[in-house]
Each structure stands twice: as structure tokens, then as C-alpha cells.
Amino acid sequence: MTPAPRLTCGRFDLELSRPLVMGVINLTPDSFSDGGQFGTLNEAIDHAIKQIEAGADILDIGAESTRPGAQEISVENELARLVPVLRQVRDLGKPISVDTRKPAVMRAVLAEGADMINDVSGFCDPQAVAAVVASRCALCVMHMQGDPSTMQQSPAYRSVVDEVSAFLYRQVEILQLAGVALERIVLDPGIGFGKTLDHNLALLRELSCLEVFERPVLIGLSRKSMVGQLTGQPVERRLAGSVAGALASVAQGAAFVRVHDVRETVDALRVWRAIVD
């Protein structure tokens, strides 16, 4: 029997024999879904504990909104939001991912014990590569067309699957040449990051084409606008659509699903696995 793939993830060595659930912890006042809900240290810590109790395999902490139209914040502001929470949740027994695109923030959170860096800009900045290369952290390499402030204005591709796949392949090569072990890399096609609904659906239907170098794929579509477009529901009523999207993504081969609603997603995956296994 072929052994299950694994991911080197900082202090952890994750076995990917089943899909893993990444719980979202937003520390921003302006995120599209739950901005401002976990603005105090105690609120953020309580939310993290509840996500783990609900079955999260990994937590993803973000302190800068990357919703469409979002503006960049300073390194100082981002770290002021991140570091106090990271210090409190890093010893809860689960890997901690930090969602950031700033090399200075990457260095600081790795020094504080972060296990994964989730970079929506895909480590295109050579300084970002330099910030992570010497650590054991996992790297989530995401595709984004443009930047958050402009990415949804007029996204266009000749072939979205081919172009996203080529980008991911190129970035993995760059990371390997810099000295990053392949076992540390996760790939994310960037659902909603410079894509229309049709682009998102095409990528989700062809996830196997994105497993370049046979690296695991992470999908984050929880509560996003594509769910609203397909269901007609506002963000606060996108639970059912988000869970359906997570299950469909796993069925297409996703190894990780990044979600806001951990308990419901974990339950749905447990039933799905019982049936298909």
C-alpha cells in the first residue's frame, strides 16, 4: 500500500490520509465575513479554542483583510494584532498558520512559533522566500491575479486552469531552487482572488490539474461571493453552500479546506467519508 502523503508543518508532521479542516481566525475589523467579531485578545483566543473543540486540524490566523478592495496595512499594525494572539494559541496542540504577504511579518511570526505561512501573493516576493527558507514551516502558495485592491475589477484569462497551474508550478520550482523542501509546500488556486464565478468553477472542476509536483491542494471558498452568486444568499446565510463547496472540493481531491464553520464542515466530512470509504 502506498503511504499517505505528509506535510512538514513547523512543529508538526501532518499525515494527509484524510482531508484536513483549517479553521479561520480573522483578527481584522473589515474582513468580508466576520470582520470585527474577534477584535479583542480574549475573543480571539476563545474563538480559537472553540474551533479546535469543533474539530479543526489547523488554525489560520489573519490580521490584514484581503477581501476585494481591501487596502494594505502597516507591518506594525499587522503584528500588533497577530503576536498577542499567536502567543496564546501556539500551545493549544494544533498547527498555527499565519495569513500574511509581508516578509517582515513572516519573520516575526516564525520567531513566535507559527507553523505555516499562508501567502496570498504566492511567495512572489524574493524577500518572502528568504524569510521562510531556513525554517521548517509549511508554505501555502496561492495564486492571485492582481492584488486585493483591484483583483476583482476585470479578471481575465485565456485558460484559467492552465495559467494557474503554470503559476503554481513556477513558484514551486523557485522555492525548491531556494532550498525549500517539497514536503513543506501546499498549493491554493485562490478561489475568488482575481477570478469570476466561471473561473472559480473551472478550477474546482479540474483540481487534479493543479496538483503540480503531487503537492496537496488547499481550497478556501467558505462564505465567499461565489457561494452567494450560486445560492442568492447574503454572507450570513451561506453555511449550507459553503459546506457543499467543501465536500465537492474534497471529492475533487482537495487535501485541506479552509472554513469559518468548522463543526458543520467536520460533521459533513465525517458522514461523507463513512459513505465513500
Side-chain angles (χ1 to χ4, degrees), residues 114-179:
D115 300 292
M116 176 186 283
I117 299 296
N118 180 9
D119 182 2
V120 298
S121 61
F123 297 92
C124 287
D125 184 344
Q127 291 302 311
V129 178
V132 301
V133 65
S135 76
R136 288 189 81 254
C137 72
L139 309 178
C140 185
V141 181
M142 199 192 84
H143 175 274
M144 173 172 58
Q145 188 178 83
D147 60 67
S149 65
T150 61
M151 63 188 180
Q152 288 304 107
Q153 290 180 5
S154 55
Y157 302 84
R158 284 178 294 179
S159 169
V160 67
V161 175
D162 290 345
E163 291 177 49
V164 171
S165 178
F167 169 84
L168 295 173
Y169 189 96
R170 182 171 66 252
Q171 292 310 111
V172 172
E173 282 193 318
I174 289 170
L175 288 166
Q176 283 192 288
L177 287 172

Side-chain angles (χ1 to χ4, degrees), residues 52-95:
I52 291 172
E53 290 175 344
D57 299 292
I58 182 171
L59 299 179
D60 189 48
I61 304 175
E64 178 181 64
S65 176
T66 51
R67 61 175 174 77
Q71 299 300 311
E72 191 171 350
I73 65 172
S74 70
V75 168
E76 293 75 18
N77 284 345
E78 191 170 349
L79 286 174
R81 295 173 183 174
L82 278 170
V83 171
V85 176
L86 180 55
R87 287 175 176 170
Q88 294 297 316
V89 303
R90 64 189 174 190
D91 294 324
L92 293 178
K94 297 294 181 180

Side-chain angles (χ1 to χ4, degrees), residues 179-231:
V180 175
L182 198 58
E183 292 75 19
R184 293 172 55 192
I185 298 174
V186 178
L187 307 174
D188 182 347
I191 300 301
F193 283 80
K195 282 103 178 168
T196 65
L197 175 60
D198 286 343
H199 294 148
N200 292 327
L201 292 172
L203 288 166
L204 291 166
R205 291 174 183 138
E206 302 290 340
L207 283 192
S208 62
C209 297
L210 305 179
E211 293 175 355
V212 299
F213 294 95
E214 299 184 346
R215 296 315 300 148
V217 172
L218 180 150
I219 293 296
L221 55 72
S222 176
R223 302 184 186 175
K224 286 186 176 177
S225 61
M226 71 164 287
V227 179
Q229 289 175 278
L230 291 169
T231 63

Side-chain angles (χ1 to χ4, degrees), residues 241-269:
S242 297
V243 172
L247 290 179
S249 299
V250 168
Q252 292 293 96
F256 293 83
V257 285
R258 181 181 182 274
V259 304
H260 299 84
D261 303 292
V262 170
R263 187 178 304 281
E264 293 83 354
T265 306
V266 167
D267 286 350
L269 283 170

